[in-house]
């Protein structure tokens, strides 16, 4: 069976835990070494990984590229425009062809269906680098980051402030698999999908919708925000979203209502002083740059799990 990594809730909880633990082990092994130096282990030696980007990327592109290289593999970076993915050739045929050339495919795309079709027809593992609905690799890095700083995430209270977007969706998936509770605070027009809320609840997680952000963060172990606007949003859409989301900005006053040792996360890039103030981003609660670094380590573990190495 091919080990695709498509979403948190589609992956066995024991496998998720194995990946988090292996990521921590690999990160520890690199302590004090030059940033670009190869790992002592070379589990991806002679492996080639295709990295497909229909959406622009900084962290996803660099972290996957560097991670593969550190583990002895090589990358083939492709843009959607270069491939005309799903236009000049069907996604199914693209998947079949790429499977003859490479050992693994990571795709960062718009429509979830593109990812699912790629996985259905590929005979090599496929990793979800992001879709409009979910972003599982980010949450693997986030769980790793929380546990580095505060120990097991099971039983903790996580609060999402703002838009119930694709990153929020993967946090809901993770709540069910890692055993923590999640509170969403944001306007009702931007609630997370009912399907994702219901799935987390069916796995035993307590999922709360609380419109008052001050109440939402009471007792929080972790507060998370994400950008309010996408690069593809129109100016009128941006203004409308800002007006809806302004009450949910994460600032020092809001963080003061969480636990004294609460952490703050943001997957970046951030619009400083929109969804979160610079004072919080650069303050004592923030672990955003550890979080960004951990994309590298978490994804290396995901790559190894997919390839069974």
């Amino acid at each position: 069976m091919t080990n695709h990594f498509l979403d948190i809730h589609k992956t066995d909880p024991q496998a998720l835990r194995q990946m988090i633990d292996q990521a921590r082990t690999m990160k520890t092994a690199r302590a004090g070494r030059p940033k670009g130096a190869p790992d002592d282990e070379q589990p991806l030696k002679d492996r080639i990984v295709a990295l497909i980007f229909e959406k622009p990327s900084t962290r996803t592109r660099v972290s996957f590229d560097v991670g593969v290289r550190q583990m002895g593999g090589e990358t083939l970076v492709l843009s959607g425009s270069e491939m005309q993915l799903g236009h000049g050739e069907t996604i199914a045929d693209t998947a079949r062809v790429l499977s003859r050339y490479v050992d693994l495919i990571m795709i960062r795309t718009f429509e979830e269906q593109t990812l699912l079709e790629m996985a259905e027809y590929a005979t090599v593992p496929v990793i979800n680098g992001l879709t409009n609905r979910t972003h599982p690799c980010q949450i693997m890095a986030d769980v790793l980051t929380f546990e580095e700083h505060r120990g097991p995430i099971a039983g903790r209270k996580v609060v999402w402030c703002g838009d119930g977007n694709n990153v929020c969706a993967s946090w809901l998936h993770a709540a069910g698999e890692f055993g923590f509770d999640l509170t969403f605070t944001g306007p009702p027009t931007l609630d997370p999908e009912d399907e994702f809320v219901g799935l987390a609840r069916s796995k035993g997680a307590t999922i709360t919708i609380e419109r008052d952000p001050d109440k939402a963060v009471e007792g929080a172990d972790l507060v998370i925000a994400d950008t309010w606007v996408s690069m593809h949003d129109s100016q009128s859409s941006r203004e409308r979203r800002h007006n809806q989301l302004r009450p949910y900005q994460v600032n020092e006053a809001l963080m003061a209502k969480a636990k004294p040792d609460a952490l703050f996360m943001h997957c970046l890039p951030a619009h400083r002083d929109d969804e979160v103030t610079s004072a919080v981003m650069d303050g004592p609660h923030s672990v955003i740059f550890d979080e960004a670094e951990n994309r590298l380590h978490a994804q290396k573990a995901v790559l190894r799990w997919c390839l069974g190495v």
Side-chain angles (χ1 to χ4, degrees), residues 157 159 161 183-187 209-218 247-248 254 257:
K157 179 180 178 180
V159 177
C161 293
T183 296
F184 171 83
T185 185
I209 308 294
E210 173 55 68
R211 300 301 173 200
D212 183 339
D214 291 342
K215 290 181 180 177
V217 300
E218 289 177 3
Y248 299 96
L254 188 67
K257 293 178 171 63

Side-chain angles (χ1 to χ4, degrees), residues 127-190:
I127 294 175
N128 177 0
L130 174 142
T131 71
N132 287 345
R133 289 193 85 198
T134 60
H135 195 3
C137 288
Q138 179 65 56
I139 276 54
M140 293 297 284
D142 294 351
V143 171
L144 172 63
T145 305
F146 183 90
E147 294 195 342
E148 277 184 331
H149 287 269
R150 296 291 183 264
I153 197 168
R156 302 299 190 117
K157 179 180 178 180
V158 174
V159 177
W160 179 275
C161 293
D163 177 9
N165 63 11
N166 54 353
V167 184
C168 179
S170 287
W171 268 107
L172 284 164
H173 291 158
E177 304 304 327
F178 286 98
F180 57 85
D181 299 329
L182 188 141
T183 296
F184 171 83
T185 185
T189 52
L190 296 174

Side-chain angles (χ1 to χ4, degrees), residues 31 84 103 122 127 135-136 140 143 171 201 220 231 243 253 278 286:
Q84 296 188 347
D103 298 286
I127 294 175
H135 195 3
M140 293 297 284
V143 171
W171 268 107
R201 286 172 174 163
M231 66 185 73
N243 291 337
S278 289
S286 176

Side-chain angles (χ1 to χ4, degrees), residues 9-134:
H9 70 295
K10 295 178 180 177
T11 309
D12 181 78
Q14 289 184 323
L16 294 170
R17 174 47 56 191
Q18 172 192 326
M19 286 182 253
I20 296 294
D21 293 344
Q22 186 172 59
R24 186 183 298 110
T25 298
M26 288 190 290
K27 182 177 181 178
T28 300
R30 288 195 63 81
R33 303 184 62 182
K35 292 290 185 286
D39 292 354
D40 289 333
E41 284 189 85
Q42 297 284 282
L44 266 61
K45 182 175 172 55
D46 299 325
R47 305 290 187 113
I48 298 176
V49 176
L51 307 177
I52 301 173
F53 294 93
E54 282 201 294
K55 280 190 172 187
S57 169
T58 300
R59 275 151 294 279
T60 299
R61 176 167 179 164
V62 175
S63 57
F64 266 110
D65 200 347
V66 170
V68 170
R69 292 165 186 258
Q70 285 181 351
M71 294 191 293
E74 297 185 31
T75 59
L76 179 65
V77 182
L78 302 163
S79 72
S81 59
E82 288 173 325
M83 301 179 67
Q84 296 188 347
L85 194 62
H87 301 293
E89 182 176 49
T90 67
I91 294 162
D93 286 351
T94 299
R96 291 182 179 107
V97 170
L98 284 178
S99 296
R100 301 295 180 102
Y101 299 144
V102 303
D103 298 286
L104 184 146
I105 300 166
M106 188 289 303
I107 181 167
R108 180 180 173 94
T109 188
F110 293 90
E111 299 304 321
E112 181 183 51
Q113 188 55 40
T114 303
L115 167 76
L116 297 178
E117 191 170 347
M118 183 72 72
E120 181 180 356
Y121 290 97
T123 56
V124 298
V126 173
I127 294 175
N128 177 0
L130 174 142
T131 71
N132 287 345
R133 289 193 85 198
T134 60

Side-chain angles (χ1 to χ4, degrees), residues 18-20 22-23 26 71 296-306:
Q18 172 192 326
M19 286 182 253
I20 296 294
Q22 186 172 59
M26 288 190 290
M71 294 191 293
L296 170 65
H297 307 296
Q299 287 163 185
K300 285 165 72 173
V302 172
L303 285 160
R304 294 188 67 170
W305 176 78
C306 288

